[in-house]
Amino acid sequence: MNRFGERFSITTFGESHGKAIGCVLDGVPAGLVIDEAYIQSELDRRKPGQNEFATARKEEDKVEILSGTFEGLSTGTPITLVIYNTDQKSGDYSNVKDIFRPGHADFTYFHKYGLRDYRGGGRSSARETAARVAGGAIAKLMLAQLGISVQSGISAIHGIEAQALDFNYPKNSLIYALDKNVEEAQKAAILDAKNGHDSVGGVATIKISNLPIGLGQGLYYKLDAVLAEAMMGINAVKAVEIGEGIHSSALLASQNNDPITPKGFKTNHAGGILGGMSNGDDIVLRIHFKPTPSIFIDQESVNTDNESVHVSLKGRHDPCVAVRGSIVCESMAALVIADMVLLNMGSTMNGIKNYYT
Ligand SMILES: Cc1cc2nc3c(=O)[nH]c(=O)nc-3n(C[C@H](O)[C@H](O)[C@H](O)COP(=O)(O)O)c2cc1C
């Protein structure tokens, strides 16, 4: 299960300390300008080693296009993107070879498969998410042709919540903050945890704008369900809210319903989705990341012989995975919308006639 999407799909490959990671995109329409510099710029937003708020691992994350383009355009054939791993320090992980890091995927991988690539978590490492960002960049190029934009930023760190969301601000912020008024407090929370050899969680907010009405299927491929699956499939994500989210269960319908006027919806508690389909308003998602599992505090665990051990980790880790994770959320959202755009094309007889006649 390394493939995601129906008509516009991504299959990723590779491990943290293997030779390379990458993806194969299937279903990209022919004739799309594949701007390699743009794909690289998206990867650079997720890249580690750029400041004190991210892991010190220094991956170059240089993308190469191996197939599916000709003279800068997509050809309608599978597009393969590869990123070679350059900063593997397998020695960092020799002390966790036979023990399970609390909060990480070691325990379940070992018990499911009977063996595991312990170097950096192997396939369970969030290194794989670079491939999703590369693929998501191509989805974003396609969506841009339709005027659809996907933006992201950090709304909360360790419970410190943004009071207002400015999606133009994250590009100026080392932690991709959406509210510059709480940015310093959020940064301090990350550094406090880091200095205490601990880590913090956070919330990324995604906004998808200028969507047509009707993307998504009414029942088993609902837009909200597929977006939630896409987000929950990202490492360390523990919850996803759409629009009013969990708070809607504490409201009256008269507070939660969005009044409809001839000019559109008055409010957006729905988060841009009704009945599993886009309603034309912005889609707003809040994605909750847990604190990075790898910390440098003594923790209780067991080894592969089920004996009690104490884990004291070393290595280079993100003090707050939500920060770089927000770019991954943005990319997965773009992949979902690109898929939904293509799936929607066969939904009416008129649409099919317009295409074929
Ligand atoms: C962008 C990103 C970077 C991450 N970096 C680290 C890291 O440096 N160290 C770590 O222990 N976990 C890191 N994680 C989280 C783990 O990959 C994740 O917690 C682990 O695979 C277990 O999966 P689960 O938390 O989804 O259950 C990162 C996650 C993301 C999204």
Side-chain angles (χ1 to χ4, degrees):
M1 302 299 287
N2 295 290
R3 178 175 179 271
F4 183 85
E6 296 291 325
R7 288 283 305 280
F8 187 114
S9 74
I10 181 168
T11 305
T12 72
F13 57 84
E15 299 84 25
S16 168
H17 286 59
K19 200 165 192 173
I21 55 163
C23 67
V24 179
L25 290 177
D26 209 351
V28 181
L32 179 69
V33 176
I34 304 297
D35 180 347
E36 200 167 337
Y38 174 72
I39 304 172
Q40 189 58 56
S41 69
E42 286 290 282
L43 279 165
D44 291 347
R45 294 170 69 210
R46 197 217 71 108
K47 197 165 83 171
Q50 307 194 90
N51 58 59
E52 60 192 324
F53 302 102
T55 167
R57 292 189 301 266
K58 281 239 180 299
E59 287 288 354
E60 267 311 295
D61 283 359
K62 280 277 168 251
V63 67
E64 270 184 49
I65 301 175
L66 295 190
S67 70
T69 64
F70 180 63
E71 294 180 340
L73 297 179
S74 58
T75 56
T77 59
I79 298 181
T80 307
L81 304 173
V82 68
I83 301 159
Y84 291 99
N85 292 327
T86 56
D87 190 29
Q88 308 116 305
K89 289 194 180 170
S90 305
D92 279 355
Y93 298 94
S94 51
N95 63 331
V96 292
K97 186 171 174 289
D98 300 314
I99 59 178
F100 305 125
R101 291 168 297 169
H104 219 293
D106 307 340
F107 182 87
T108 40
Y109 265 71
F110 181 79
H111 285 291
K112 181 180 173 80
Y113 296 108
L115 57 93
R116 75 189 162 97
D117 179 352
Y118 61 85
R119 303 161 308 161
R123 181 80 180 146
S124 77
S125 161
R127 175 111 195 91
E128 183 267 353
T129 62
R132 304 184 194 208
V133 172
I138 293 188
K140 283 175 84 178
L141 286 171
M142 178 184 132
L143 297 179
Q145 296 283 313
L146 305 173
I148 300 170
S149 68
V150 187
Q151 294 169 286
S152 72
I154 289 295
S155 39
I157 298 283
H158 197 43
I160 303 167
E161 281 282 352
Q163 300 305 307
L165 304 182
D166 175 0
F167 284 89
N168 291 316
Y169 190 67
K171 61 177 177 295
N172 307 313
S173 164
L174 293 180
I175 58 161
Y176 302 135
L178 284 162
D179 182 355
K180 67 172 187 297
N181 293 321
V182 296
E183 180 188 10
E184 290 312 316
Q186 291 176 332
K187 280 179 171 172
I190 297 176
L191 293 183
D192 278 355
K194 184 178 171 178
N195 293 336
H197 306 296
D198 217 327
S199 67
V200 281
V203 181
T205 296
I206 309 297
K207 185 169 84 164
I208 313 169
S209 305
N210 206 21
L211 287 158
I213 298 172
L215 296 188
Q217 308 302 311
L219 289 176
Y220 293 105
Y221 211 61
K222 288 176 120 167
L223 184 52
D224 36 6
V226 180
L227 282 167
E229 185 192 342
M231 300 304 148
M232 288 296 293
I234 298 170
N235 313 41
V237 171
K238 288 283 129 191
V240 180
E241 296 185 81
I242 296 175
E244 203 60 54
I246 52 171
H247 185 232
S248 63
S249 60
L251 295 179
L252 297 168
S254 52
Q255 298 168 313
N256 190 56
N257 291 346
D258 300 309
I260 313 174
T261 75
K263 287 187 177 158
F265 296 94
K266 268 191 170 169
T267 51
N268 190 13
H269 299 285
I273 304 175
L274 286 172
M277 298 170 227
S278 56
N279 67 9
D281 230 334
D282 289 344
I283 291 181
V284 184
L285 310 171
R286 272 169 59 86
I287 297 116
H288 295 253
F289 285 86
K290 72 184 191 184
T292 319
S294 298
I295 51 174
F296 309 110
I297 293 173
D298 184 76
Q299 296 177 89
E300 213 177 314
S301 186
V302 293
N303 62 19
T304 47
D305 294 324
N306 206 31
E307 296 160 339
S308 287
V309 293
H310 280 263
V311 190
S312 191
L313 294 173
K314 51 184 185 175
R316 299 162 295 170
H317 297 279
D318 286 277
C320 178
V321 298
V323 175
R324 295 193 305 122
S326 65
I327 311 299
V328 184
C329 296
E330 193 182 309
S331 309
M332 287 306 294
L335 287 161
V336 170
I337 300 299
D339 192 28
M340 292 294 183
V341 163
L342 296 186
L343 273 168
N344 195 41
M345 289 181 62
S347 59
T348 67
M349 203 55 229
N350 274 346
I352 295 171
K353 278 204 252 169
N354 281 343
Y355 182 79
Y356 283 105
T357 55

PDB file of all heavy atoms in Angstrom, residues 80-96:
ATOM      1  N   THR A  80       8.453   9.978 -13.040  1.00  0.00           N
ATOM      2  CA  THR A  80       9.230   9.459 -11.917  1.00  0.00           C
ATOM      3  C   THR A  80      10.166  10.549 -11.415  1.00  0.00           C
ATOM      4  O   THR A  80      10.918  11.143 -12.194  1.00  0.00           O
ATOM      5  CB  THR A  80      10.072   8.231 -12.347  1.00  0.00           C
ATOM      6  OG1 THR A  80       9.197   7.289 -12.950  1.00  0.00           O
ATOM      7  CG2 THR A  80      10.775   7.589 -11.149  1.00  0.00           C
ATOM      8  N   LEU A  81      10.102  10.797 -10.117  1.00  0.00           N
ATOM      9  CA  LEU A  81      10.970  11.796  -9.486  1.00  0.00           C
ATOM     10  C   LEU A  81      11.846  11.071  -8.476  1.00  0.00           C
ATOM     11  O   LEU A  81      11.340  10.246  -7.698  1.00  0.00           O
ATOM     12  CB  LEU A  81      10.128  12.847  -8.763  1.00  0.00           C
ATOM     13  CG  LEU A  81       9.076  13.580  -9.606  1.00  0.00           C
ATOM     14  CD1 LEU A  81       8.205  14.463  -8.725  1.00  0.00           C
ATOM     15  CD2 LEU A  81       9.750  14.416 -10.685  1.00  0.00           C
ATOM     16  N   VAL A  82      13.134  11.356  -8.469  1.00  0.00           N
ATOM     17  CA  VAL A  82      14.029  10.689  -7.522  1.00  0.00           C
ATOM     18  C   VAL A  82      14.836  11.727  -6.747  1.00  0.00           C
ATOM     19  O   VAL A  82      15.202  12.784  -7.283  1.00  0.00           O
ATOM     20  CB  VAL A  82      14.943   9.655  -8.242  1.00  0.00           C
ATOM     21  CG1 VAL A  82      15.946  10.323  -9.143  1.00  0.00           C
ATOM     22  CG2 VAL A  82      15.636   8.741  -7.255  1.00  0.00           C
ATOM     23  N   ILE A  83      15.068  11.422  -5.468  1.00  0.00           N
ATOM     24  CA  ILE A  83      15.881  12.274  -4.598  1.00  0.00           C
ATOM     25  C   ILE A  83      16.902  11.350  -3.944  1.00  0.00           C
ATOM     26  O   ILE A  83      16.520  10.425  -3.207  1.00  0.00           O
ATOM     27  CB  ILE A  83      15.013  12.931  -3.502  1.00  0.00           C
ATOM     28  CG1 ILE A  83      13.889  13.777  -4.130  1.00  0.00           C
ATOM     29  CG2 ILE A  83      15.866  13.779  -2.557  1.00  0.00           C
ATOM     30  CD1 ILE A  83      12.726  14.036  -3.191  1.00  0.00           C
ATOM     31  N   TYR A  84      18.181  11.551  -4.226  1.00  0.00           N
ATOM     32  CA  TYR A  84      19.203  10.675  -3.646  1.00  0.00           C
ATOM     33  C   TYR A  84      19.473  11.071  -2.198  1.00  0.00           C
ATOM     34  O   TYR A  84      19.472  12.261  -1.862  1.00  0.00           O
ATOM     35  CB  TYR A  84      20.482  10.717  -4.489  1.00  0.00           C
ATOM     36  CG  TYR A  84      20.268  10.047  -5.827  1.00  0.00           C
ATOM     37  CD1 TYR A  84      20.013  10.797  -6.977  1.00  0.00           C
ATOM     38  CD2 TYR A  84      20.243   8.657  -5.927  1.00  0.00           C
ATOM     39  CE1 TYR A  84      19.748  10.186  -8.190  1.00  0.00           C
ATOM     40  CE2 TYR A  84      19.976   8.029  -7.139  1.00  0.00           C
ATOM     41  CZ  TYR A  84      19.736   8.795  -8.263  1.00  0.00           C
ATOM     42  OH  TYR A  84      19.456   8.177  -9.446  1.00  0.00           O
ATOM     43  N   ASN A  85      19.665  10.075  -1.331  1.00  0.00           N
ATOM     44  CA  ASN A  85      19.993  10.347   0.074  1.00  0.00           C
ATOM     45  C   ASN A  85      21.482  10.642   0.174  1.00  0.00           C
ATOM     46  O   ASN A  85      22.292   9.888  -0.355  1.00  0.00           O
ATOM     47  CB  ASN A  85      19.653   9.126   0.941  1.00  0.00           C
ATOM     48  CG  ASN A  85      18.148   8.893   1.027  1.00  0.00           C
ATOM     49  OD1 ASN A  85      17.361   9.835   1.006  1.00  0.00           O
ATOM     50  ND2 ASN A  85      17.749   7.633   1.108  1.00  0.00           N
ATOM     51  N   THR A  86      21.820  11.731   0.866  1.00  0.00           N
ATOM     52  CA  THR A  86      23.235  12.112   0.909  1.00  0.00           C
ATOM     53  C   THR A  86      23.797  12.218   2.316  1.00  0.00           C
ATOM     54  O   THR A  86      24.997  12.299   2.499  1.00  0.00           O
ATOM     55  CB  THR A  86      23.446  13.480   0.224  1.00  0.00           C
ATOM     56  OG1 THR A  86      22.579  14.432   0.861  1.00  0.00           O
ATOM     57  CG2 THR A  86      23.131  13.421  -1.261  1.00  0.00           C
ATOM     58  N   ASP A  87      22.921  12.278   3.339  1.00  0.00           N
ATOM     59  CA  ASP A  87      23.438  12.540   4.689  1.00  0.00           C
ATOM     60  C   ASP A  87      23.087  11.421   5.657  1.00  0.00           C
ATOM     61  O   ASP A  87      22.594  11.654   6.756  1.00  0.00           O
ATOM     62  CB  ASP A  87      22.892  13.881   5.208  1.00  0.00           C
ATOM     63  CG  ASP A  87      23.585  14.308   6.500  1.00  0.00           C
ATOM     64  OD1 ASP A  87      24.755  13.931   6.692  1.00  0.00           O
ATOM     65  OD2 ASP A  87      22.952  14.982   7.328  1.00  0.00           O
ATOM     66  N   GLN A  88      23.317  10.172   5.201  1.00  0.00           N
ATOM     67  CA  GLN A  88      22.973   9.062   6.086  1.00  0.00           C
ATOM     68  C   GLN A  88      24.089   8.821   7.091  1.00  0.00           C
ATOM     69  O   GLN A  88      25.228   8.616   6.691  1.00  0.00           O
ATOM     70  CB  GLN A  88      22.767   7.770   5.283  1.00  0.00           C
ATOM     71  CG  GLN A  88      21.805   7.909   4.153  1.00  0.00           C
ATOM     72  CD  GLN A  88      22.476   7.691   2.825  1.00  0.00           C
ATOM     73  OE1 GLN A  88      23.460   8.349   2.497  1.00  0.00           O
ATOM     74  NE2 GLN A  88      21.978   6.758   2.064  1.00  0.00           N
ATOM     75  N   LYS A  89      23.731   8.868   8.378  1.00  0.00           N
ATOM     76  CA  LYS A  89      24.705   8.513   9.413  1.00  0.00           C
ATOM     77  C   LYS A  89      24.121   7.337  10.177  1.00  0.00           C
ATOM     78  O   LYS A  89      23.522   7.497  11.243  1.00  0.00           O
ATOM     79  CB  LYS A  89      24.938   9.706  10.353  1.00  0.00           C
ATOM     80  CG  LYS A  89      25.720  10.836   9.696  1.00  0.00           C
ATOM     81  CD  LYS A  89      26.214  11.829  10.736  1.00  0.00           C
ATOM     82  CE  LYS A  89      26.989  12.949  10.061  1.00  0.00           C
ATOM     83  NZ  LYS A  89      27.298  14.057  10.967  1.00  0.00           N
ATOM     84  N   SER A  90      24.289   6.145   9.596  1.00  0.00           N
ATOM     85  CA  SER A  90      23.652   4.961  10.179  1.00  0.00           C
ATOM     86  C   SER A  90      24.138   4.714  11.597  1.00  0.00           C
ATOM     87  O   SER A  90      23.406   4.172  12.428  1.00  0.00           O
ATOM     88  CB  SER A  90      23.928   3.737   9.312  1.00  0.00           C
ATOM     89  OG  SER A  90      23.507   3.986   7.994  1.00  0.00           O
ATOM     90  N   GLY A  91      25.375   5.150  11.894  1.00  0.00           N
ATOM     91  CA  GLY A  91      25.945   4.950  13.221  1.00  0.00           C
ATOM     92  C   GLY A  91      25.119   5.593  14.310  1.00  0.00           C
ATOM     93  O   GLY A  91      25.078   5.119  15.453  1.00  0.00           O
ATOM     94  N   ASP A  92      24.399   6.695  13.961  1.00  0.00           N
ATOM     95  CA  ASP A  92      23.547   7.382  14.936  1.00  0.00           C
ATOM     96  C   ASP A  92      22.517   6.435  15.531  1.00  0.00           C
ATOM     97  O   ASP A  92      21.940   6.721  16.574  1.00  0.00           O
ATOM     98  CB  ASP A  92      22.782   8.533  14.254  1.00  0.00           C
ATOM     99  CG  ASP A  92      23.645   9.792  14.112  1.00  0.00           C
ATOM    100  OD1 ASP A  92      24.766   9.785  14.626  1.00  0.00           O
ATOM    101  OD2 ASP A  92      23.167  10.750  13.477  1.00  0.00           O
ATOM    102  N   TYR A  93      22.234   5.350  14.818  1.00  0.00           N
ATOM    103  CA  TYR A  93      21.123   4.485  15.219  1.00  0.00           C
ATOM    104  C   TYR A  93      21.566   3.124  15.764  1.00  0.00           C
ATOM    105  O   TYR A  93      20.730   2.288  16.089  1.00  0.00           O
ATOM    106  CB  TYR A  93      20.172   4.279  14.023  1.00  0.00           C
ATOM    107  CG  TYR A  93      19.573   5.587  13.565  1.00  0.00           C
ATOM    108  CD1 TYR A  93      20.154   6.314  12.539  1.00  0.00           C
ATOM    109  CD2 TYR A  93      18.458   6.108  14.211  1.00  0.00           C
ATOM    110  CE1 TYR A  93      19.627   7.538  12.148  1.00  0.00           C
ATOM    111  CE2 TYR A  93      17.921   7.329  13.832  1.00  0.00           C
ATOM    112  CZ  TYR A  93      18.510   8.034  12.797  1.00  0.00           C
ATOM    113  OH  TYR A  93      17.990   9.242  12.417  1.00  0.00           O
ATOM    114  N   SER A  94      22.909   2.915  15.883  1.00  0.00           N
ATOM    115  CA  SER A  94      23.377   1.599  16.312  1.00  0.00           C
ATOM    116  C   SER A  94      22.865   1.252  17.719  1.00  0.00           C
ATOM    117  O   SER A  94      22.625   0.094  18.026  1.00  0.00           O
ATOM    118  CB  SER A  94      24.901   1.541  16.260  1.00  0.00           C
ATOM    119  OG  SER A  94      25.422   2.644  16.951  1.00  0.00           O
ATOM    120  N   ASN A  95      22.638   2.290  18.551  1.00  0.00           N
ATOM    121  CA  ASN A  95      22.181   2.015  19.925  1.00  0.00           C
ATOM    122  C   ASN A  95      20.694   1.646  19.999  1.00  0.00           C
ATOM    123  O   ASN A  95      20.203   1.267  21.055  1.00  0.00           O
ATOM    124  CB  ASN A  95      22.473   3.201  20.861  1.00  0.00           C
ATOM    125  CG  ASN A  95      21.717   4.457  20.441  1.00  0.00           C
ATOM    126  OD1 ASN A  95      21.437   4.639  19.264  1.00  0.00           O
ATOM    127  ND2 ASN A  95      21.399   5.309  21.398  1.00  0.00           N
ATOM    128  N   VAL A  96      19.952   1.796  18.875  1.00  0.00           N
ATOM    129  CA  VAL A  96      18.534   1.405  18.918  1.00  0.00           C
ATOM    130  C   VAL A  96      18.256   0.187  18.034  1.00  0.00           C
ATOM    131  O   VAL A  96      17.098  -0.149  17.772  1.00  0.00           O
ATOM    132  CB  VAL A  96      17.580   2.573  18.507  1.00  0.00           C
ATOM    133  CG1 VAL A  96      17.598   3.677  19.539  1.00  0.00           C
ATOM    134  CG2 VAL A  96      17.905   3.100  17.119  1.00  0.00           C
TER     135      VAL A  96
END
